[in-house]
Amino acid sequence: MTPLQQRIAGHLQLLYPQLDAMEFAQECLAQFGLAADAPSPTPHRNLWDQSDVAVITYGDSLRSEHEAPLHSLLGFLNTRLQDCISTVHILPFFPYSSDDGFSVMDYTTVNPSLGNWDDIARLSRHFKVMGDLVINHCSSRSLWFENYKQGVEPGAGYFVEASPDTDLSAVVRPRTSPLLREVKTPGGERHLWCTFSHDQLDLDFQNPRVLLEFLKIIRLYLDKGIRWFRLDAVAFLWKTPGTPCINLPETHEVIRLLRLMIEHRAADAVIVTETNIPNRENLTYFGNANEAHLIYNFSLPPLLINTLITGCCKHLKNWLMTMPPAQYGTTYLNFIASHDGIGLRPTEGLLSDWELDTLIGTLQRFGGHLSSRTTPGGATRPYEINISLWDAFRGTAAQGPDQWQFARFLCAAGIMAALEGIPAFYIHSLFATENDDARVEHTGSFRSINRHIWQAEDLESALSSDTHHRQVFDAMRKLLRLRRQQPAFHPNATQYTLHTGEALFSFWRQSIDRHQSLFAVYNISDTPQTFNLSELNLIATDEWVDLISGERFEDPVAQVRLMPYQFLWLSNRHD
C-alpha cells in the first residue's frame, strides 16, 4: 500500500463511508491513469512569478469568416499579446444548451463551431491554458440526463433528487428561480435540484460514479494540454437538506481529493476555485495549502469600482489590510471584470446598504443592469451588476459622466496589476469594449451586455485607428509589459497597505529576495492630490524612479502632485 493510495483512501472514506475505501481508491487511480507510486510534488511551490498575467476570453470573442474562432484567438494572442500575458482562460468551449457555455452537453468534445482539441493543444504550446471544469451541474440536453430519464447508465443516478415536501428553506441560492424541477421517469415523477436554472441540473457527488466520471474528464483535459483548472460554482457541490448546501465540509473534501490526484499526475497543474461568496468564506478554499492553489478575489471588483466612482478608498484599504498573505504555493487571482457581472455578495459586511445602493444606482445610470437572488428567508437581494468595465468608469457617483473615463479605467488596471496575486484581465477590458445593449435585447440575458463578439476585421480596424479602443489597448499592453519585469510584483512578494488618506490609495511591495522595493500610489479621485514623499519613508540612499513616467525623485521628502487618477510605481530598482 503506497502513501498515495492511503491518502486517496482517507479522503474517500470521509466522502463515501459505505464503500471499501482502499478498493475504490484503486478504481480512482485506474480511471485517472495514475500510478500508485507516482512521486509527490514538493509542497508550497510557487508555480508562478511576476511574469504571470492571464487573459479571460470566450473561444469566439473574436470571429473571422475565414477560420475557426480558436484559430483567430491564437493568432491574435500571438501577434498582439505574446509579450503581455502568460495564461489564457478559455471559458467553456464544449457543446452547450444555455448560459453561454456553462450548461455543458458533452464534457469530452470541443464545440465544433469553435474548433477542435488540436486547437486547444496548439494554444497550450504557446500559453498556459485554463479550462473550466463545470463540476456542479450539466445540461438538460446531455446524454447523462437523457439516460436518467430512461433509467439507464451512465446517468441513472447522477442527479440530485429531492422531495418538494422537504424543508429546503435554508438553501443558499444565487438565483430567484424555483430550486426544483419536475421530471418524468419510468419510476414516476421526480424533482431534481437546479441551483442555477432548470436547464442546469445539479450533479450528485454523493454517487461515487459521478466522481469517477469527472476523474475521466480531468484526465482527458490533462492529456490535451490543460494545466489550470477552474472549478466552476464549486461551493454548491455537495447537498445536504437542512443545511445551506454551500461550503459544506464534503465540498472541501472533494477539492482536496482532486488537488491530490491532479498534482500527482501533473506537477505543474493549478487548481482555481470560483466561489462568488463573502470574503471570509472565500478564503477557506485555500484550505491549509491543500485545496485551491488560487482563489478568485471576488471582493476586489465591487470595492475597486466603488473606490473610483466615490473618490474614497476607505473600504478598499480596510479590506486589503484584513487579507492574509497567501502561503507559498497559493495566491490570489485578481480581476475586476469577467464574463459575469460584478458580484455583490462579496460586499456583504464591507459596504453598508446605503453605499451598496449608491454603487448600484450609479452603475445603472451608466447603462448597467441589476440581477438578484433569493435569500433563505425568501427575500430578494442584489446579486450582481451587469455592465462593461469601460462603461462602469464613465464618471463618479456625485457628478455623473465626466472627462476622466480613460484615466479612471487605467488607474483601476494599475491597481489590480500591482496587488499581491496574479492579475486576470477580461479580453473586453483590454479593448475597452462598450455595453452591448443589442446583444442583451437579442438574448434576453443581462450578462450579454459584457459578452460582445468582435469580428476580427472590425477589431483590427479599431485597434489601428484613432479610437478609445486603441488608446486603452496600447496603454494596457505597456502597463502589462512593465508589470512583468518587476520582481516586487511576484504574486507572493510582501505587501503592506499604507495610510495616505482617503483620496490616495497606496501600498508597498518588496521582492522575495528583498532587492526591489516598490511603492504604488494612486490618486483615486477626480481632483488633484498632493502628498509628501516622507509619508512613504523612502530609503534616502536609494535612487527612486517612477516606472510609469520615468521621473526620478532625488529628494526623499519632496512634495508630489498627482492629477486625477494619476498613479506612481516608485521603485528603487529600475534597470
Side-chain angles (χ1 to χ4, degrees):
M1 194 63 58
T2 68
L4 177 58
Q5 286 174 298
Q6 291 176 338
R7 291 175 67 187
I8 292 171
H11 293 298
L12 295 173
Q13 181 63 47
L14 292 172
L15 292 169
Y16 309 109
Q18 75 278 16
L19 298 181
D20 182 321
M22 292 308 303
E23 182 178 324
F24 190 40
Q26 285 292 101
E27 191 173 359
C28 289
L29 284 165
Q31 187 76 287
F32 203 55
L34 181 60
D37 58 353
S40 296
T42 304
H44 298 287
R45 295 169 304 133
N46 290 328
L47 300 171
W48 42 77
D49 62 23
Q50 62 272 14
S51 68
D52 278 289
V53 175
V55 64
I56 306 165
T57 181
Y58 281 101
D60 63 350
S61 290
L62 310 178
R63 284 185 182 169
S64 172
E65 296 179 3
H66 313 296
E67 59 185 355
L70 288 173
H71 288 203
S72 299
L73 177 63
L74 177 58
F76 182 86
L77 296 177
N78 274 337
T79 303
R80 296 280 199 160
L81 291 172
Q82 189 174 43
D83 59 348
C84 301
I85 67 167
S86 63
T87 306
V88 55
H89 171 201
I90 310 174
L91 291 156
F93 47 80
F94 316 102
Y96 69 96
S97 55
S98 65
D99 199 16
D100 283 348
F102 286 91
S103 184
V104 178
M105 295 165 57
D106 181 359
Y107 290 87
T108 66
T109 304
V110 175
N111 189 333
S113 69
L114 299 178
N116 54 42
W117 278 117
D118 288 341
D119 296 311
I120 300 298
R122 206 162 15 247
L123 275 157
S124 73
R125 291 195 287 272
H126 294 264
F127 303 95
K128 301 173 187 177
V129 173
M130 172 153 56
D132 280 279
L133 195 65
V134 185
I135 196 169
N136 179 72
H137 50 263
C138 72
S139 168
S140 66
R141 291 172 54 193
S142 64
L143 176 63
W144 290 346
F145 184 56
E146 291 301 321
N147 286 348
Y148 170 85
K149 290 186 292 184
Q150 301 303 317
V152 299
E153 298 290 356
Y158 281 18
F159 299 94
V160 181
E161 297 181 354
S163 168
D165 298 327
T166 302
D167 182 4
L168 300 175
S169 60
V171 175
V172 171
R173 297 289 313 287
R175 299 289 187 272
T176 57
S177 56
L179 176 61
L180 301 182
R181 169 185 168 173
E182 183 180 307
V183 177
K184 294 181 179 179
T185 75
E189 187 179 277
R190 298 287 185 268
H191 292 83
L192 297 187
W193 198 292
C194 301
T195 296
F196 290 90
S197 79
H198 283 191
D199 185 48
Q200 295 166 296
L201 301 153
D202 285 39
L203 293 157
D204 188 2
F205 270 81
Q206 296 190 41
N207 179 349
R209 311 318 295 179
V210 173
L211 173 65
L212 288 175
E213 289 280 7
F214 274 90
L215 290 178
K216 183 166 62 175
I217 290 164
I218 295 169
R219 176 182 180 178
L220 171 67
Y221 295 176
L222 285 167
D223 289 344
K224 299 300 183 181
I226 294 172
R227 286 296 180 272
W228 287 36
F229 293 86
R230 177 185 182 271
L231 306 189
D232 175 65
V234 71
F236 300 95
L237 189 69
W238 200 274
K239 281 79 176 176
T240 301
T243 74
C245 297
I246 187 172
N247 308 323
L248 295 186
E250 293 87 351
T251 293
H252 287 277
E253 200 67 40
V254 171
I255 296 170
R256 287 191 283 268
L257 172 62
L258 295 180
R259 159 84 179 255
L260 175 67
M261 297 191 70
I262 289 172
E263 68 180 3
H264 273 77
R265 198 168 190 274
D268 59 342
V270 171
I271 306 296
V272 186
T273 51
E274 189 266 338
T275 48
N276 189 358
I277 51 180
N279 193 56
R280 186 180 298 271
E281 298 169 28
N282 192 30
L283 288 169
T284 66
Y285 283 86
F286 277 140
N288 185 21
N290 61 350
E291 294 186 33
H293 294 88
L294 277 72
I295 63 171
Y296 274 79
N297 226 342
F298 271 106
S299 294
L300 179 60
L303 289 180
L304 181 50
I305 293 170
N306 181 73
T307 293
L308 289 162
I309 67 171
T310 62
C312 175
C313 67
K314 177 179 66 174
H315 294 303
L316 181 63
K317 183 174 69 173
N318 290 343
W319 164 76
L320 196 63
M321 289 190 295
T322 68
M323 294 296 284
Q327 296 185 50
Y328 279 14
T330 67
T331 195
Y332 299 100
L333 188 73
N334 294 324
F335 73 110
I336 319 173
S338 73
H339 61 291
D340 287 340
I342 300 158
L344 298 177
R345 282 209 69 204
T347 67
E348 292 177 11
L350 301 175
L351 296 180
S352 69
D353 287 346
W354 177 84
E355 289 165 328
L356 184 59
D357 288 345
T358 299
L359 174 63
I360 293 169
T362 301
L363 296 187
Q364 286 178 321
R365 287 166 61 196
F366 299 161
H369 302 282
L370 177 66
S371 300
S372 300
R373 66 182 181 92
T374 301
T375 68
T380 299
R381 291 285 296 162
Y383 180 68
E384 70 178 19
I385 303 171
N386 304 109
I387 191 171
S388 81
L389 190 64
W390 175 249
D391 282 298
F393 288 128
R394 281 187 199 174
T396 65
Q399 302 297 329
D402 60 22
Q403 75 272 35
W404 301 110
Q405 186 175 16
F406 170 77
R408 190 180 292 113
F409 186 91
L410 194 62
C411 182
I415 291 173
M416 190 181 87
L419 286 171
E420 175 190 353
I422 296 173
F425 291 89
Y426 188 39
I427 197 165
H428 290 298
S429 299
L430 299 180
F431 307 148
T433 307
E434 305 98 323
N435 289 337
D436 192 337
D437 297 315
R439 189 167 170 81
V440 172
E441 187 174 348
H442 176 71
T443 65
S445 170
F446 288 159
R447 285 181 166 177
S448 295
I449 199 169
N450 198 26
R451 296 180 179 180
H452 182 72
I453 296 174
W454 278 95
Q455 294 301 313
E457 297 78 7
D458 293 339
L459 180 60
E460 285 297 332
S461 176
L463 298 182
S464 303
S465 54
D466 186 19
T467 64
H468 78 273
H469 303 294
R470 177 179 180 176
Q471 184 185 20
V472 167
F473 190 59
D474 288 349
M476 292 288 283
R477 287 196 297 173
K478 181 180 178 181
L479 187 75
L480 295 182
R481 292 187 193 109
L482 188 59
R483 190 252 185 224
R484 300 183 78 198
Q485 298 167 5
Q486 312 310 318
F489 289 155
H490 186 289
N492 295 91
T494 299
Q495 176 174 288
Y496 283 111
T497 309
L498 305 177
H499 298 279
T500 49
E502 292 188 348
L504 291 173
F505 178 60
S506 311
F507 51 91
W508 173 66
R509 303 294 308 276
Q510 185 182 58
S511 60
I512 291 173
D513 64 10
R514 300 188 180 183
H515 289 168
Q516 184 185 27
S517 282
L518 198 154
F519 292 87
V521 184
Y522 306 81
N523 179 359
I524 49 80
S525 76
D526 59 358
T527 58
Q529 299 293 325
T530 301
F531 74 100
N532 197 301
L533 287 178
S534 62
E535 297 179 55
L536 305 182
N537 197 24
L538 302 180
I539 298 173
T541 55
D542 287 351
E543 294 183 0
W544 295 94
V545 173
D546 172 28
L547 300 176
I548 302 296
S549 67
E551 182 179 357
R552 292 181 177 273
F553 293 88
E554 296 179 356
D555 181 358
V557 297
Q559 277 203 335
V560 178
R561 179 180 171 86
L562 295 181
M563 294 301 291
Y565 308 106
Q566 183 183 353
F567 60 95
L568 307 176
W569 284 353
L570 198 59
S571 172
N572 64 346
R573 172 176 165 172
H574 35 83
D575 44 79

